[in-house]
Every structure is written in C-alpha cells, then in structure tokens.
Amino acid sequence: MTVVTLGVHIVDVLARPVESIPAGQDTHLLEQIRVTAAGAAAATAVDLAALGVPVASMGAVGDDELADLLVMMMERRGVDVTGIVRKPGEQTAASILPIRPDGGRPSFHVPGANLGLSTADVDRERILGARIVHLGGMDATWGLHDPAFYALLDEARAAGTIVTMDLLSNMPDLMQGVRAFLPHVDYVLPNEEQALMMSGASGAEEAAAALLAEGPSAVLVTLGGEGSLIADSGGLTRVPALEVPVVDTTGCGDAYCAGFVAGLADGLDVAGSARLGTALAARVAGGLGSDAGLTGARELRERHERREPA
C-alpha cells in the first residue's frame, strides 16, 4: 500500500446557498444538498484515490447507519477501508454545513468516535509497510497522543516511511497539544490560523519557522486565497493560489494535502508537490463538498509528473 491515511473520519451533510437559518418552521429552497466522506483522513483518502494513488484509510466510526454510509462512500471511491474500526455505542462523527453564497462554511459538528481512536486500533504492520503515512486531525484524536504511537511513527520513519500531518480544528488548547507530534513527522501542513495558534507567532512566516525548529523537515502553511507558504532548510517559498470561482471551501485543505502526498509519492520536490496540492484544492473549491471537482484528477497528476502547467 503506497499511502495510509490515519485519523479523523466524518460524514458531511452540505447545503447551498444558505444566507440564514429559517425562523420557526419556515423552509428555504436551496440549489443543492450533498452527503460526503469528510475529515482530515477520510477526505484526503478519497482525493488520493481519485488521483490514482493506492490508499488505505484507518480511523474510528460508530456502530450506526452513518458509519455504514461513510464506509460505503469511501469504498466506492476506491479506498481500502479495512482499517476502519467500529466503536460499539458510539456515534459516527458528523457535520452539517450550511454553505454561504461566498463559499464560507460555518458548521454544526459532533466529534463522535474520532475521540476514541487509540493506538490499539492502529494496524502496526500496515503503518510500517506504507510508503507514506498521512496523519489527519491529530488534534481531535486524543487517544493517539501516546508515547507508544510516537514510537511507532519513529520506527516507520527509520525504515523509510514518510509521515505527513494535517490538523482539523481551530481550538487553541488542541493546537498546543498537537505540538508533541512535531518531532515525529516529516511534513506538517496547518492552515494559517492553526500555525499561529501552535507557535504563538504573529505572522505566517514567523509561525512556519518556529514550527520547523521543532522537528519536521518542512512546514507548509496554507493561506486560503493567498496560496501557501513553505518553510524548510532552504528558507521560505511561496506557492500562489489559482484563481477559480469559489463555490465551497470545504475540503480544500484535505485536497491540498492529497495533492502534496501524491507529489511526494511521484518523486516531486516539496514545492512541486505543493503545486499539485494547490491545483487539486482549486478544483475542489469549484463545487460542493470535499470530493467535488475530482473528475480528471489522474490527468492533473500526470501533468504535474511531467512538470506541465496545471
């Protein structure tokens, strides 16, 4: 298996465009409602499968109908779901996202079974056998804040596995806790708000440099419409965003991570991998949900392998 994504799995229910919540029992007619496999592990896995990267996803869901739906959606899109464990008596994590006309995405969220994912749920051999392990949402998987799990990551890295990490929330307390992972990963991909909270810095460049000093080989800070910022041993590099009409920003960060991981798997350098992530994120922003715009993703990857314009 080339890539294993490990972490947060969520069912998203999205509706657009929503300008306000109806009063009382009123009804607003909408253009679109969708259900998607989401979360920093599940959505990234779906995107990687669309790119043609062999991928397995590992995480925790409940024993409810939402779990059935989530696993089915991921499996239909080509993800190996045999590493997803079911937690009896737990609800599968889920979000309701009323998408604003400008693409903004407020949410109502139940963390559910993600909070119960632990080192005991992780398939050790699958982690050690992966070329790349992507940790998705370590801030929300408290059971993996475990010395035994850090040791497993270190063992995998010593054998040649690349470990990347993305985050889920914007909660300051969780951001501080996740810093413990930084010595045990190769690439960390926070958004600007998360990077500032983790580092205590006042700007993206200062934050990236501070996080880099804590252990990873590179820090990639996503900046929304401003693109992304790479900090590594060579200094700071900016990768511009692509100009596209934005329908919904849900899953753009996951798509950026998937493109980045696929680039690494293809032997691209950090900047080239970030450009593939940028191109895939731009496609996802043009539709509703974290799996929007994935038609033609394999061809997009092939063009980046050949270093052709997106």
Side-chain angles (χ1 to χ4, degrees), residues 145-283:
H145 293 220
D146 176 0
F149 184 64
Y150 303 150
L152 176 58
L153 295 178
D154 291 342
E155 183 179 352
R157 293 172 69 212
T161 298
I162 297 169
V163 179
T164 63
M165 183 176 73
D166 183 24
L167 305 174
L168 179 73
S169 72
N170 59 354
M171 301 177 67
D173 291 345
L174 300 186
M175 291 301 100
Q176 289 303 308
V178 83
R179 289 174 61 183
F181 283 87
L182 294 178
H184 308 288
V185 303
D186 298 292
Y187 302 98
V188 59
L189 300 97
N191 63 34
E192 183 175 16
E193 184 179 19
Q194 292 163 342
L196 295 178
M197 289 180 180
M198 289 176 70
S199 65
S202 58
E205 293 188 357
E206 179 187 350
L211 297 177
L212 182 67
E214 297 194 35
S217 298
V219 176
L220 296 92
V221 181
T222 54
L223 306 169
E226 300 301 315
S228 59
L229 172 69
I230 302 169
D232 58 16
S233 60
L236 297 172
T237 304
R238 287 190 176 266
V239 177
L242 301 179
E243 292 190 14
V244 294
V246 175
V247 172
D248 170 27
T249 59
T250 304
C252 289
D254 303 320
Y256 182 94
C257 290
F260 179 76
V261 168
L264 294 180
D266 291 337
L268 300 180
D269 61 13
V270 173
S273 299
R275 285 191 287 272
L276 177 54
T278 300
L280 191 64
R283 292 190 173 205

